Amino acid sequence: MRQALVAANWKMNGTKAQVAELLAGFKAGINAQACQVAIFSPAVFLSDVQQALQGSAIAWGGQNVHSAESGAYTGETSLGMLKEFGCQYVLVGHSERRTLFGESDEVVAEKVAAALSAGVTPMLCIGETLEERESGVTAEVCRRQLKAVLDKVGVAGFNKLVVAYEPVWAIGTGKTASPEQAQEVHADLRAFLQDADAEMAKKIQILYGGSVKAASAAELFAMPDIDGGLVGGASLQIEEFVGICNAAAQ
Ligand code: PEP
């Protein structure tokens, strides 16, 4: 039986005061025993997040990482740094990283491999653009993105990571995939992984992301292959995010 996981991706938003307010609200409102919760904060707030969440059942992580241990990579953050701030997770291959910052499947695979070696759980984001969906290549694109990582880290790596399926056309647009549309892709991804290893495919958490709101969460999470959500905009509102976590806890 897979546990539900709900993750917040704050992206490049927030102030120290807002971070404190959001985390206090999450701690008060979320029953983190009933579903797993992870907060992906901007790197500069990780110290605040660590102080606020230490000792709670809510986990946290970075939104991006470099695959090298250290060196001349101005502006980047290493896994060692994330670990110093208590990060259990790291987001890898978010569509904004792929499209705005040119991260290829190979770069994403390198980052996943580095995170696994460092003992940090990668949340691997994949998903098709609107153009790709309309051309009928959704499954092909998502399988290609998964395969690039599978080829690099193997089944052993997939036993230790989380996948987030995020159709690019649904991210930040208010257009959620219907539960049936999302389920169709999740089932296909699980079938693809099953060909590599049936046990791993059964165990792996596959989250849905793309304009999830408290009002749409329950229907999405009721789908057999959707194991929770990766939430952007709605994770900046206490009531919305708590509502989404409650829906997952059901
Ligand atoms: C995201 O950033 O991963 C995301 C799903 O954003 P939103 O919920 O705002 O669509």
Side-chain angles (χ1 to χ4, degrees), residues 54-142:
Q54 204 141 247
S56 80
I58 302 177
W60 62 95
Q63 296 175 5
N64 181 34
V65 76
H66 197 282
S67 53
E69 274 180 32
S70 63
Y73 302 103
T74 303
E76 294 291 316
T77 305
S78 73
L79 283 149
M81 292 169 188
L82 294 183
K83 282 172 73 171
E84 267 211 276
F85 290 97
C87 293
Q88 201 177 309
Y89 289 94
V90 65
L91 215 50
V92 182
H94 189 280
S95 75
E96 287 148 22
R97 299 292 325 166
R98 292 179 190 260
T99 56
L100 303 175
F101 301 98
E103 289 190 11
S104 63
D105 288 347
E106 290 67 36
V107 166
V108 170
E110 285 287 345
K111 291 185 177 196
V112 169
L116 290 168
S117 301
V120 176
T121 303
M123 186 173 287
L124 166 64
C125 302
I126 59 166
E128 83 287 3
T129 62
L130 185 58
E131 203 185 352
E132 289 164 339
R133 173 160 284 262
E134 287 174 346
S135 318
V137 294
T138 296
E140 196 181 308
V141 168
C142 295

Side-chain angles (χ1 to χ4, degrees), residues 21-62:
E21 196 183 324
L22 283 169
L23 294 178
F26 292 173
K27 272 167 60 178
I30 295 170
N31 177 4
Q33 310 298 336
C35 87
Q36 295 177 315
V37 180
I39 311 295
F40 290 103
S41 152
V44 291
F45 296 134
L46 283 172
S47 169
D48 303 68
V49 174
Q50 182 179 33
Q51 277 177 42
L53 296 182
Q54 204 141 247
S56 80
I58 302 177
W60 62 95

Side-chain angles (χ1 to χ4, degrees), residues 150-168:
L150 188 59
D151 287 347
K152 180 89 187 163
V153 304
V155 170
F158 268 72
N159 274 321
K160 294 191 189 136
L161 61 78
V162 177
V163 173
Y165 165 60
E166 300 202 296
V168 179

Side-chain angles (χ1 to χ4, degrees), residues 1-5 165 176-188 190 204-208 216-229 247-248 250:
M1 179 73 178
R2 297 181 298 271
Q3 242 208 306
L5 167 59
Y165 165 60
T176 319
S178 71
E180 294 72 24
Q181 276 176 319
Q183 166 60 24
E184 188 185 357
V185 178
H186 281 235
D188 181 68
R190 214 178 287 285
I204 193 166
Q205 288 168 309
I206 307 180
L207 314 188
Y208 168 78
S216 58
E219 269 191 302
L220 284 161
F221 300 163
M223 292 288 136
D225 288 295
I226 300 181
D227 306 315
Q250 308 297 315

